[in-house]
Amino acid sequence: MAEAKQDAIALLKADHRKVEELFEKFESAKGDGAKRKIALQICTELTVHTAIEEEIFYPACEGKVEEDLIKEAYVEHDGAKVLMAEIEAGGPDDEYYDAKVKVLQEQIEHHVKEEEQMLKGMFSQARRAGLDMDALGEQLAARKRELMATYKKEGLPMPETTTLNEVEV
């Protein structure tokens, strides 16, 4: 089955909706096994999403989108990566596990709002700047498939932060 081609923003927004659904599933999940499985799915989706944004989308936005928005996005990603590393290393028996997933959800909701905000958001600015969203969408989709296949086979890597100094996670 051939997947429908999406422009870059449609693909990134679809990722956002999928993660939002996973957070809702986590909230209603019963049992430690189900919670852990959903939390790891959230981490996988976010690991791939942050990678394709940082490798492809954000560099394409350089000089075309407000620099502060791009810098904030990198810092927000790094904050999420620290929490994801803790979630991946822990489990539902950790007394702070649910709280970590909830805080990750709140951080992601804030990040999504900043990217998707009408007129001022990164996506609106990128579209107005005339970026080739179809070509970017193809690049993002190809890299996403590649990363998903790798992580399915090898598991998630330790998150690499862009803006944080060396910290022990």
Side-chain angles (χ1 to χ4, degrees), residues 118-130:
M118 295 297 275
L119 303 176
K120 293 192 307 189
M122 186 182 301
F123 293 171
S124 292
Q125 288 184 31
R127 198 175 290 286
R128 280 196 313 273

Side-chain angles (χ1 to χ4, degrees), residues 26-153:
F26 181 87
E27 282 181 22
S28 61
K30 303 285 184 246
D32 287 356
K35 282 189 163 201
R36 174 117 178 103
K37 183 178 179 194
I38 296 165
L40 290 177
Q41 204 177 347
I42 289 167
C43 291
T44 300
E45 292 292 331
L46 288 174
T47 298
V48 170
H49 182 79
T50 58
I52 65 174
E53 279 189 331
E54 290 177 5
E55 291 174 16
I56 300 165
F57 191 72
Y58 293 169
C61 290
E62 292 286 340
K64 294 172 175 49
V65 169
E66 285 175 43
E67 188 180 347
D68 288 354
L69 275 180
I70 296 171
K71 284 183 176 173
E72 281 180 39
Y74 279 112
V75 173
E76 288 166 354
H77 278 189
D78 284 353
K81 288 174 188 177
V82 169
L83 269 175
M84 288 188 298
E86 291 188 13
I87 291 165
E88 290 164 34
D93 55 339
D94 167 6
E95 71 174 303
Y96 293 105
Y97 194 75
D98 286 12
K100 289 174 184 176
V101 174
K102 183 65 180 172
V103 170
L104 178 63
Q105 177 181 1
E106 290 167 354
Q107 286 183 345
I108 298 304
E109 286 170 355
H110 170 82
H111 179 73
V112 165
K113 183 180 171 205
E114 292 214 333
E115 285 187 338
E116 294 186 7
Q117 192 174 22
M118 295 297 275
L119 303 176
K120 293 192 307 189
M122 186 182 301
F123 293 171
S124 292
Q125 288 184 31
R127 198 175 290 286
R128 280 196 313 273
L131 291 176
D132 185 342
M133 293 301 170
D134 292 333
L136 275 173
E138 285 180 30
Q139 283 182 280
L140 291 168
R143 182 66 174 135
K144 183 176 175 178
R145 283 190 300 274
E146 187 181 302
L147 288 171
M148 282 295 196
T150 299
Y151 297 158
K152 190 175 259 186
K153 212 171 17 184

